[in-house]
Amino acid sequence: MKAMTVKNIFVHATLIFGLMIVSGCASAQLIRPTAIWPDNRGQHIQAHGGGIIKLDDTYYWFGEDRARDNERGRRYVSCYSSKDLAHWTFRNQVLKLADPENFGRGWVLERPKVFFNAKTKKFVMYMHIDGPLPGQNGGYGLARVGVATCDTVDGDYQYLKSFRPLGQESRDIGQFIDDDGSAYLIFESRPTKGFFIAKLSDDYLNVEKEVSFIKAPLEGGAVVHYDGLYYVVASKMTGWAANPNVYATAKSLEGPWSEFRDIAPPETKTYGSQSTMLIKVVGTKTNTVIFMGDIWKPSTQWDSRYLWMPLEIGDGKLRLPEPREWTLNIKTGEAVIQK
Ligand code: DGJ
Protein backbone atom coordinates (compact mmCIF):
# COMPACT_ATOMS: atom_id res chain seq x y z
CA MET A 1 0.00 0.00 0.00
CA LYS A 2 1.29 3.45 -0.88
CA ALA A 3 2.33 5.64 2.05
CA MET A 4 -0.06 8.56 2.63
CA THR A 5 1.29 11.86 1.35
CA VAL A 6 0.70 15.12 3.21
CA LYS A 7 -1.73 16.09 0.43
CA ASN A 8 -3.67 12.81 0.88
CA ILE A 9 -3.95 13.31 4.62
CA PHE A 10 -5.25 16.83 4.03
CA VAL A 11 -7.86 15.59 1.53
CA HIS A 12 -9.02 12.84 3.94
CA ALA A 13 -9.26 15.24 6.88
CA THR A 14 -11.27 17.72 4.79
CA LEU A 15 -13.63 14.93 3.68
CA ILE A 16 -14.19 13.67 7.24
CA PHE A 17 -14.79 17.20 8.50
CA GLY A 18 -17.21 17.84 5.63
CA LEU A 19 -19.11 14.64 6.46
CA MET A 20 -19.34 15.69 10.11
CA ILE A 21 -20.94 18.95 9.09
CA VAL A 22 -23.40 17.23 6.74
CA SER A 23 -24.37 14.67 9.40
CA GLY A 24 -24.97 17.44 11.87
CA CYS A 25 -22.12 16.60 14.30
CA ALA A 26 -20.41 19.93 13.98
CA SER A 27 -23.66 21.91 14.05
CA ALA A 28 -25.14 20.47 17.27
CA GLN A 29 -26.09 23.46 19.32
CA LEU A 30 -25.45 23.46 23.06
CA ILE A 31 -28.51 23.85 25.27
CA ARG A 32 -27.27 25.92 28.18
CA PRO A 33 -29.41 25.70 31.33
CA THR A 34 -29.60 28.95 33.32
CA ALA A 35 -27.91 31.04 30.59
CA ILE A 36 -29.49 33.75 28.47
CA TRP A 37 -31.14 31.86 25.58
CA PRO A 38 -30.97 34.01 22.43
CA ASP A 39 -33.56 33.60 19.68
CA ASN A 40 -32.77 34.16 15.95
CA ARG A 41 -32.76 37.93 16.63
CA GLY A 42 -30.26 37.59 19.46
CA GLN A 43 -32.91 38.43 22.07
CA HIS A 44 -33.48 36.35 25.21
CA ILE A 45 -36.44 34.02 24.58
CA GLN A 46 -39.62 35.26 26.25
CA ALA A 47 -41.61 32.06 26.76
CA HIS A 48 -41.75 31.65 30.52
CA GLY A 49 -44.07 29.12 32.12
CA GLY A 50 -44.47 27.77 28.62
CA GLY A 51 -45.71 24.84 26.63
CA ILE A 52 -44.59 23.10 23.45
CA ILE A 53 -46.44 21.41 20.61
CA LYS A 54 -45.00 19.61 17.60
CA LEU A 55 -46.52 19.96 14.12
CA ASP A 56 -44.85 17.76 11.48
CA ASP A 57 -41.15 18.26 12.16
CA THR A 58 -41.45 21.66 13.84
CA TYR A 59 -41.74 22.43 17.52
CA TYR A 60 -43.62 25.55 18.68
CA TRP A 61 -42.85 27.00 22.08
CA PHE A 62 -45.43 29.35 23.64
CA GLY A 63 -44.97 31.17 26.90
CA GLU A 64 -45.30 34.33 28.93
CA ASP A 65 -43.59 37.22 27.19
CA ARG A 66 -42.33 39.45 30.00
CA ALA A 67 -40.23 41.78 27.83
CA ARG A 68 -39.44 45.07 29.54
CA ASP A 69 -40.89 47.23 26.78
CA ASN A 70 -44.31 45.53 26.79
CA GLU A 71 -47.24 47.82 27.56
CA ARG A 72 -47.96 47.70 31.29
CA GLY A 73 -51.69 47.03 31.17
CA ARG A 74 -51.42 44.20 28.65
CA ARG A 75 -50.31 40.61 29.07
CA TYR A 76 -48.32 38.96 26.29
CA VAL A 77 -47.77 35.45 24.95
CA SER A 78 -45.03 34.79 22.41
CA CYS A 79 -44.46 31.92 20.02
CA TYR A 80 -41.12 30.56 18.77
CA SER A 81 -40.39 27.69 16.38
CA SER A 82 -37.56 25.20 16.12
CA LYS A 83 -36.64 21.99 14.36
CA ASP A 84 -34.06 20.89 16.91
CA LEU A 85 -35.31 22.32 20.24
CA ALA A 86 -32.07 24.32 20.48
CA HIS A 87 -32.28 27.08 17.83
CA TRP A 88 -35.49 29.11 18.21
CA THR A 89 -37.01 31.53 15.71
CA PHE A 90 -39.31 34.24 17.02
CA ARG A 91 -42.67 33.98 15.23
CA ASN A 92 -45.08 36.42 16.82
CA GLN A 93 -46.48 37.93 19.96
CA VAL A 94 -49.57 35.80 19.49
CA LEU A 95 -51.49 37.43 22.34
CA LYS A 96 -51.25 41.05 23.43
CA LEU A 97 -54.23 41.05 25.71
CA ALA A 98 -55.71 44.06 27.46
CA ASP A 99 -57.79 43.14 30.54
CA PRO A 100 -60.55 41.18 28.74
CA GLU A 101 -63.18 40.92 31.48
CA ASN A 102 -62.54 43.79 33.87
CA PHE A 103 -60.45 41.57 36.09
CA GLY A 104 -58.89 44.69 37.57
CA ARG A 105 -55.49 46.25 37.91
CA GLY A 106 -52.75 43.72 38.48
CA TRP A 107 -54.62 40.97 36.64
CA VAL A 108 -52.49 37.97 35.79
CA LEU A 109 -51.94 35.80 32.72
CA GLU A 110 -49.56 32.90 33.32
CA ARG A 111 -48.45 29.56 31.91
CA PRO A 112 -50.12 29.65 28.47
CA LYS A 113 -50.46 26.29 26.66
CA VAL A 114 -51.56 25.75 23.06
CA PHE A 115 -53.29 22.64 21.72
CA PHE A 116 -54.05 21.86 18.06
CA ASN A 117 -57.50 20.40 17.49
CA ALA A 118 -57.35 18.16 14.42
CA LYS A 119 -61.15 18.09 14.02
CA THR A 120 -61.85 21.83 14.09
CA LYS A 121 -58.37 22.72 12.75
CA LYS A 122 -58.21 25.41 15.44
CA PHE A 123 -55.34 26.21 17.74
CA VAL A 124 -56.69 26.54 21.27
CA MET A 125 -54.73 28.38 23.94
CA TYR A 126 -55.36 27.85 27.66
CA MET A 127 -53.92 30.29 30.16
CA HIS A 128 -54.07 30.82 33.90
CA ILE A 129 -56.12 33.96 34.39
CA ASP A 130 -56.09 35.57 37.78
CA GLY A 131 -56.45 38.73 39.77
CA PRO A 132 -58.11 40.11 42.86
CA LEU A 133 -61.58 39.10 43.94
CA PRO A 134 -63.99 42.04 44.21
CA GLY A 135 -63.11 44.09 47.26
CA GLN A 136 -59.57 42.72 47.41
CA ASN A 137 -56.50 44.68 46.54
CA GLY A 138 -54.44 42.14 44.68
CA GLY A 139 -53.56 38.52 44.68
CA TYR A 140 -54.65 35.35 42.99
CA GLY A 141 -58.33 35.19 43.99
CA LEU A 142 -60.10 34.65 40.66
CA ALA A 143 -58.34 31.36 39.92
CA ARG A 144 -59.70 30.73 36.41
CA VAL A 145 -58.54 29.48 33.03
CA GLY A 146 -58.83 31.67 29.94
CA VAL A 147 -59.26 30.36 26.40
CA ALA A 148 -58.17 31.98 23.13
CA THR A 149 -58.22 30.52 19.62
CA CYS A 150 -56.57 31.02 16.24
CA ASP A 151 -56.70 29.48 12.76
CA THR A 152 -52.92 29.38 12.45
CA VAL A 153 -50.30 28.32 14.94
CA ASP A 154 -48.56 31.69 15.16
CA GLY A 155 -51.34 34.10 14.21
CA ASP A 156 -53.11 36.59 16.46
CA TYR A 157 -55.15 34.61 18.99
CA GLN A 158 -58.65 35.87 19.87
CA TYR A 159 -59.69 35.74 23.51
CA LEU A 160 -62.92 33.77 23.97
CA LYS A 161 -63.80 33.35 27.63
CA SER A 162 -62.69 32.31 31.09
CA PHE A 163 -64.09 29.74 33.51
CA ARG A 164 -63.26 27.52 36.46
CA PRO A 165 -62.53 24.04 35.08
CA LEU A 166 -64.83 21.40 36.57
CA GLY A 167 -66.10 24.22 38.78
CA GLN A 168 -62.79 24.24 40.70
CA GLU A 169 -60.36 27.03 41.49
CA SER A 170 -57.51 26.72 39.00
CA ARG A 171 -54.08 28.33 39.22
CA ASP A 172 -50.96 26.74 37.65
CA ILE A 173 -51.89 24.86 34.50
CA GLY A 174 -49.96 22.27 32.52
CA GLN A 175 -50.63 20.45 29.26
CA PHE A 176 -50.28 16.80 28.40
CA ILE A 177 -50.83 15.20 25.00
CA ASP A 178 -50.77 11.43 25.23
CA ASP A 179 -49.26 9.17 22.56
CA ASP A 180 -52.76 8.62 21.08
CA GLY A 181 -53.19 12.40 20.68
CA SER A 182 -55.68 12.89 23.56
CA ALA A 183 -55.33 16.28 25.17
CA TYR A 184 -55.37 16.96 28.90
CA LEU A 185 -55.22 20.04 31.07
CA ILE A 186 -53.45 19.75 34.40
CA PHE A 187 -54.56 22.30 36.98
CA GLU A 188 -53.86 23.00 40.62
CA SER A 189 -56.78 23.61 42.92
CA ARG A 190 -55.97 24.85 46.43
CA PRO A 191 -59.25 24.19 48.27
CA THR A 192 -59.06 20.51 47.27
CA LYS A 193 -55.40 20.38 48.37
CA GLY A 194 -54.45 18.71 45.14
CA PHE A 195 -54.33 18.89 41.38
CA PHE A 196 -56.39 17.53 38.52
CA ILE A 197 -55.59 15.90 35.22
CA ALA A 198 -58.67 16.54 33.09
CA LYS A 199 -59.66 15.65 29.54
CA LEU A 200 -60.57 18.44 27.13
CA SER A 201 -63.88 18.36 25.24
CA ASP A 202 -63.94 17.29 21.57
CA ASP A 203 -63.43 20.86 20.36
CA TYR A 204 -60.94 21.58 23.20
CA LEU A 205 -62.96 24.63 24.22
CA ASN A 206 -63.97 23.12 27.54
CA VAL A 207 -62.53 20.94 30.26
CA GLU A 208 -64.83 17.97 30.16
CA LYS A 209 -63.92 15.23 32.54
CA GLU A 210 -61.75 14.55 35.57
CA VAL A 211 -59.32 11.77 34.73
CA SER A 212 -57.24 11.91 37.86
CA PHE A 213 -57.25 13.92 41.06
CA ILE A 214 -53.92 13.74 42.87
CA LYS A 215 -54.31 14.73 46.48
CA ALA A 216 -51.01 16.51 47.07
CA PRO A 217 -50.61 20.27 47.47
CA LEU A 218 -48.43 20.71 44.40
CA GLU A 219 -48.33 23.03 41.38
CA GLY A 220 -46.38 23.34 38.12
CA GLY A 221 -47.75 19.91 37.16
CA ALA A 222 -46.29 18.13 34.12
CA VAL A 223 -46.88 14.61 32.79
CA VAL A 224 -45.06 12.29 30.40
CA HIS A 225 -45.87 8.77 29.19
CA TYR A 226 -42.63 6.84 29.00
CA ASP A 227 -42.04 3.15 28.46
CA GLY A 228 -45.47 2.06 29.65
CA LEU A 229 -45.65 4.30 32.72
CA TYR A 230 -47.04 7.76 33.40
CA TYR A 231 -44.75 10.09 35.33
CA VAL A 232 -46.03 13.28 36.91
CA VAL A 233 -43.62 15.99 38.10
CA ALA A 234 -44.71 18.94 40.21
CA SER A 235 -43.40 21.61 42.53
CA LYS A 236 -44.32 22.58 46.06
CA MET A 237 -46.21 25.84 46.53
CA THR A 238 -43.64 28.48 47.47
CA GLY A 239 -44.61 31.33 45.14
CA TRP A 240 -41.72 32.33 42.90
CA ALA A 241 -39.11 30.74 45.20
CA ALA A 242 -37.60 27.42 44.13
CA ASN A 243 -38.30 24.25 46.13
CA PRO A 244 -37.59 20.52 45.80
CA ASN A 245 -39.79 19.28 42.94
CA VAL A 246 -41.16 15.76 43.17
CA TYR A 247 -42.49 12.95 40.98
CA ALA A 248 -44.90 10.04 41.12
CA THR A 249 -45.80 7.26 38.69
CA ALA A 250 -48.87 5.31 37.63
CA LYS A 251 -49.65 2.56 35.12
CA SER A 252 -52.71 4.45 33.99
CA LEU A 253 -53.44 8.17 33.86
CA GLU A 254 -56.38 7.48 36.17
CA GLY A 255 -53.96 6.25 38.83
CA PRO A 256 -53.44 4.96 41.41
CA TRP A 257 -50.35 7.15 41.75
CA SER A 258 -47.28 6.17 43.75
CA GLU A 259 -45.88 8.18 46.64
CA PHE A 260 -44.01 11.35 45.60
CA ARG A 261 -40.20 11.34 45.61
CA ASP A 262 -37.61 14.07 45.02
CA ILE A 263 -36.39 14.53 41.44
CA ALA A 264 -33.05 15.99 42.60
CA PRO A 265 -31.17 16.34 45.91
CA PRO A 266 -33.66 18.43 47.95
CA GLU A 267 -31.02 20.92 49.12
CA THR A 268 -30.53 22.06 45.49
CA LYS A 269 -34.21 23.09 45.30
CA THR A 270 -34.41 21.63 41.80
CA TYR A 271 -31.25 23.60 40.98
CA GLY A 272 -33.22 26.80 41.42
CA SER A 273 -35.95 25.91 38.93
CA GLN A 274 -39.64 25.01 38.85
CA SER A 275 -41.29 22.37 36.69
CA THR A 276 -43.27 23.53 33.68
CA MET A 277 -43.41 20.70 31.18
CA LEU A 278 -41.92 17.34 30.20
CA ILE A 279 -41.19 16.85 26.50
CA LYS A 280 -40.59 13.40 25.04
CA VAL A 281 -38.34 13.34 21.96
CA VAL A 282 -38.90 10.10 20.07
CA GLY A 283 -35.75 9.32 18.08
CA THR A 284 -34.52 6.55 15.83
CA LYS A 285 -32.16 5.23 18.51
CA THR A 286 -33.69 6.32 21.79
CA ASN A 287 -36.34 8.46 23.43
CA THR A 288 -35.27 11.37 25.59
CA VAL A 289 -37.49 13.12 28.11
CA ILE A 290 -36.58 16.75 28.73
CA PHE A 291 -37.38 18.50 32.00
CA MET A 292 -38.45 22.00 31.06
CA GLY A 293 -38.21 24.27 34.10
CA ASP A 294 -38.31 27.99 34.81
CA ILE A 295 -35.79 29.87 36.90
CA TRP A 296 -37.93 32.77 38.03
CA LYS A 297 -36.58 36.23 38.72
CA PRO A 298 -39.69 37.83 40.22
CA SER A 299 -38.43 41.41 40.26
CA THR A 300 -36.83 41.21 36.78
CA GLN A 301 -39.17 38.73 35.13
CA TRP A 302 -37.88 39.51 31.61
CA ASP A 303 -34.58 38.00 32.71
CA SER A 304 -36.09 34.76 34.08
CA ARG A 305 -34.12 31.81 32.75
CA TYR A 306 -34.79 28.25 31.65
CA LEU A 307 -33.48 25.00 32.99
CA TRP A 308 -33.89 22.27 30.40
CA MET A 309 -32.13 18.98 31.05
CA PRO A 310 -32.52 15.43 29.73
CA LEU A 311 -33.90 13.27 32.55
CA GLU A 312 -32.66 9.92 33.74
CA ILE A 313 -35.92 8.03 33.54
CA GLY A 314 -37.17 4.45 33.46
CA ASP A 315 -38.46 1.56 35.59
CA GLY A 316 -40.49 3.94 37.73
CA LYS A 317 -37.51 6.15 38.58
CA LEU A 318 -36.80 9.70 37.48
CA ARG A 319 -33.81 11.90 38.23
CA LEU A 320 -32.91 15.41 37.15
CA PRO A 321 -29.13 15.49 36.62
CA GLU A 322 -27.04 18.42 37.77
CA PRO A 323 -27.42 21.14 35.11
CA ARG A 324 -24.64 21.27 32.51
CA GLU A 325 -24.50 22.23 28.88
CA TRP A 326 -25.79 19.45 26.62
CA THR A 327 -26.66 18.63 23.04
CA LEU A 328 -29.63 16.87 21.53
CA ASN A 329 -29.65 14.92 18.29
CA ILE A 330 -33.23 15.46 17.24
CA LYS A 331 -33.10 12.57 14.72
CA THR A 332 -31.66 9.83 16.93
CA GLY A 333 -33.12 11.23 20.15
CA GLU A 334 -29.73 11.04 21.86
CA ALA A 335 -28.77 13.65 24.45
CA VAL A 336 -25.13 14.18 25.40
CA ILE A 337 -24.30 16.06 28.59
CA GLN A 338 -20.94 17.86 28.42
CA LYS A 339 -18.23 16.76 30.86
C1 DGJ B 1 -45.88 29.76 41.47
C2 DGJ B 1 -46.39 29.45 40.12
O1 DGJ B 1 -45.93 28.22 39.71
C3 DGJ B 1 -46.00 30.52 39.14
O2 DGJ B 1 -46.50 30.22 37.88
C4 DGJ B 1 -46.55 31.80 39.65
O3 DGJ B 1 -47.94 31.70 39.69
C5 DGJ B 1 -46.04 32.09 41.04
N1 DGJ B 1 -46.39 30.99 41.91
C6 DGJ B 1 -46.63 33.36 41.60
O4 DGJ B 1 -46.23 33.54 42.92
Side-chain angles (χ1 to χ4, degrees), residues 46-95:
Q46 293 294 325
H48 313 286
I52 289 193
I53 53 170
K54 189 179 180 206
L55 301 173
D56 300 323
D57 62 348
T58 305
Y59 293 88
Y60 294 88
W61 180 5
F62 298 84
E64 297 162 33
D65 180 332
R66 304 273 197 163
R68 263 179 122 164
D69 52 2
N70 284 344
E71 235 179 84
R72 283 184 78 110
R74 290 181 188 265
R75 306 290 176 261
Y76 295 74
V77 177
S78 274
C79 171
Y80 298 80
S81 66
S82 173
K83 289 201 192 288
D84 61 7
L85 291 171
H87 301 83
W88 290 94
T89 300
F90 171 77
R91 303 292 287 241
N92 188 17
Q93 278 185 325
V94 291
L95 198 66

Side-chain angles (χ1 to χ4, degrees), residues 268-286:
T268 70
K269 298 189 174 164
T270 323
Y271 304 104
S273 71
Q274 184 189 22
S275 54
T276 290
M277 192 170 180
L278 299 170
I279 314 162
K280 182 168 69 176
V281 176
V282 178
T284 51
K285 286 202 183 144
T286 189

